[in-house]
Amino acid sequence: MAIERGFRFGINFDDAFPRGLVMVGDVAPDNEFQSREDRAANRPVRQRVDEVTGKRQWKATVTDLGEEKAKRASFEITFLAEVQPVPTTSEVLPGMRPIELEGLTAEPRVGGQGEFKYQTYVFRATGFKAVAASAGKSARSSAASDDTSKAA
């Protein structure tokens, strides 16, 4: 049995990004390409629709804090939702906020050119996790470290 091209694997956020993600800028509509002729004719801009889910596509630039290679650390993530997703965290620096994603999927792709190809992924999400979920995660982490120190 073969896995078809374009298959999306569901993945847990903590498994994909163990050190977390930082969103740079805002979430914006992912619009279709508009030619010069289309702009001159004042044709409306159309937002892309996902072929699999039928939902509107939104995009945001993120930085993977666990990636060591600068060229691969920042990339765009696509959100699939009828309305624009809104981050649940506040900015830590102007235009930058730590985020966690829900409904995360990964689609394997080949990146690079010529003899410098490598495997990469296209990540899609349905939205942002609530702030309370990340607070619980840090509480669990500190509780686990307390248990470890007690065991020693």
Side-chain angles (χ1 to χ4, degrees):
M1 171 168 81
I3 298 174
E4 293 183 25
R5 182 176 186 213
F7 184 80
R8 300 172 184 178
F9 295 90
I11 187 166
N12 186 346
F13 178 81
D14 293 329
D15 294 335
F17 307 106
R19 297 187 75 192
L21 281 181
V22 173
M23 186 171 84
V24 181
D26 296 317
V27 177
D30 187 7
N31 295 326
E32 293 180 357
F33 174 76
Q34 192 174 28
S35 68
R36 229 181 274 166
E37 293 81 20
D38 290 340
R39 286 192 296 270
N42 287 329
R43 292 195 177 104
V45 177
R46 296 189 319 177
Q47 188 171 357
R48 292 178 194 226
V49 175
D50 183 52
E51 300 162 352
V52 176
T53 63
K55 294 184 178 180
R56 292 180 180 194
Q57 292 186 182
W58 307 84
K59 62 183 177 180
T61 303
V62 296
T63 299
D64 180 2
L65 300 176
E67 180 59 57
E68 296 175 4
K69 298 188 182 210
K71 289 183 180 182
R72 297 185 199 176
S74 291
F75 56 94
E76 279 191 344
I77 189 154
T78 302
F79 291 94
L80 306 175
E82 286 304 317
V83 295
Q84 182 174 350
V86 178
T88 58
T89 56
S90 57
E91 293 181 339
V92 291
L93 291 171
M96 300 180 77
R97 64 181 75 222
I99 59 168
E100 285 193 36
L101 304 171
E102 64 182 8
L104 188 63
T105 61
E107 180 183 339
R109 289 267 171 97
V110 175
Q113 296 178 348
E115 62 188 66
F116 303 103
K117 292 184 180 176
Y118 56 92
Q119 182 173 353
T120 187
Y121 297 91
V122 174
F123 289 101
R124 294 178 182 85
T126 57
F128 297 96
K129 285 186 182 177
V131 177
S134 59
K137 177 184 163 192
S138 62
R140 283 193 310 265
S141 298
S142 64
S145 64
D146 289 343
D147 291 343
T148 308
S149 62
K150 288 177 187 175

